[in-house]
Amino acid sequence: MPTETVYGLAADAANAAAVARVFLAKGRPRFNPLIVHVAGHEAASSIGDFGKTAARLGEAFWPGPLTLVVPRVAGAPVSDLALAGLDSVAIRVPSHPVAQALLREFGAPLVAPSANRSGHVSATTAAHVAADLGDAVAAILDAGPSQIGLESTIVGLVGDRPTLLRAGAIPRAAIEQAMGALLAGPVNDGGAPLAPGMLASHYAPAARVRLDAVSVEPGEALLAFGPGLPAGAAEAAAIINLSATGDLVEAAGRFFSALRDLDRLAKTIAVAPIPQTGLGEAINDRLRRAAAPRQP
Ligand code: TXA
Ligand code: MG
């Protein structure tokens, strides 16, 4: 879909399998949390918890090229995969008339990362999207070149201080003026954008995570993949199979919810081997970080 900043690769935010296909189409080697696009303030506040500062920034800049990261509302209609398991959500209300029309017609939130292959620059024309994503997308809504051509500014409102997470279409000073306060932040205007999702503390299970398990110890929870179960599975405290048929798109869609569910049920999660192909690379990246020793 076109937006006033860059073209976005849109999918139903609540549909984990559709969101998994977004990652597949982009060829992203890891699951970054995605921006959730909504038509207006009302839909925004059904997904995110807006404090005073967030509300003020929304009033000042929406619809428009500002993305606000706020705590997610419990039961918000957004899949865990779209948020990469985080308890915060990045929300944006685009001003582009075609994006607005699409959101109103669809009637529910759409995730939309920039419509380029991972590592490429963002697409600002339908032709760029077609060249980058080709057959991986169902349709391209061509509304001509993006007016702004630079991604939205991302402001984080979950920590102690409002933080500039990504410099973008709205200058830092304009946001500071609207807030009446300074933004903290690792990014200078015009500086190289960081990947803000990497700065956020991603959901880490409390349970120990044991990778490439070829057998299950009694009392462990099992995160299974594919038709066969490892030895000892009968003694597992709980089993969730990411995909009994070995479908990595299905597995990606279930992955974050499965990790959360098993975390409640056992002290150790044994994880069956997952192939390093397609979305398996991103699943394994996330698993390695879940299994890594915890920072104090
Ligand atoms: O202008 C834009 O923002 C475009 C158009 C299509 O709306 N979208 C866009 O999305 O640039 P994307 O996925 O390419 O960049 C989103 C950035 C990522 O770097 C991600 O890490 C960050 O937003 N992000 C999303 N949710 C976050 C969260 N809860 N906390 C911190 N960062 C988050
Ligand atoms: Mg991007």
Side-chain angles (χ1 to χ4, degrees):
M1 70 167 174
T3 82
E4 68 278 22
T5 56
V6 297
Y7 276 74
L9 178 52
D12 180 355
N15 181 335
V19 177
R21 289 199 174 81
V22 166
F23 287 104
L24 189 67
K26 281 188 67 79
R28 263 192 189 167
R30 48 174 39 153
F31 296 125
N32 282 345
L34 303 178
I35 296 176
V36 177
H37 296 66
V38 292
H41 296 272
E42 199 181 319
S45 48
S46 72
I47 294 169
D49 186 359
F50 283 69
K52 241 170 76 182
T53 306
R56 184 182 285 194
L57 290 177
E59 286 297 321
F61 296 106
W62 280 349
L66 176 69
T67 297
L68 297 175
V69 177
V70 295
R72 83 191 282 189
V73 163
V78 177
S79 61
D80 280 333
L81 179 61
L83 306 185
L86 293 172
D87 290 320
S88 60
V89 54
I91 305 176
R92 163 159 141 70
V93 179
S95 63
H96 194 289
V98 174
Q100 275 287 331
L102 180 64
L103 284 163
R104 287 185 192 285
E105 188 70 25
F106 186 60
L110 293 170
V111 289
S114 49
N116 52 280
R117 281 196 63 85
S118 182
H120 292 190
V121 294
S122 297
T124 54
T125 66
H128 291 169
V129 179
D132 242 35
L133 299 176
D135 293 343
V137 299
I140 302 172
L141 295 180
D142 185 353
S146 312
Q147 297 95 314
I148 297 176
L150 183 69
E151 294 89 345
S152 63
T153 303
I154 305 181
V155 173
L157 296 163
V158 288
D160 308 339
R161 286 187 59 190
T163 302
L164 184 63
L165 295 176
R166 178 175 74 183
I170 298 179
R172 175 183 202 124
I175 292 164
E176 291 177 335
Q177 194 182 358
M179 284 195 316
L182 295 181
L183 283 168
V187 185
N188 298 318
D189 271 357
L194 303 174
M198 299 291 97
L199 299 175
S201 70
H202 276 67
Y203 171 73
R208 199 168 78 84
V209 176
R210 194 163 70 76
L211 301 181
D212 294 320
V214 290
S215 65
V216 187
E217 303 297 323
E220 286 184 336
L222 170 64
L223 189 62
F225 177 82
L229 291 180
E235 306 287 324
I239 301 176
I240 296 180
N241 198 333
L242 290 173
S243 171
T245 60
D247 176 348
L248 286 161
V249 174
E250 181 181 40
R254 290 188 180 159
F255 174 66
F256 283 99
S257 311
L259 213 52
R260 271 179 194 266
D261 290 346
L262 292 182
D263 197 16
R264 280 194 284 271
L265 298 172
K267 292 218 155 46
T268 301
I269 303 172
V271 183
I274 292 170
Q276 184 68 4
T277 53
L279 286 177
E281 190 182 356
I283 296 173
N284 284 320
D285 167 74
R286 189 65 197 79
L287 278 170
R288 272 194 302 276
R289 288 188 285 140
R294 300 294 137 74
Q295 253 95 58

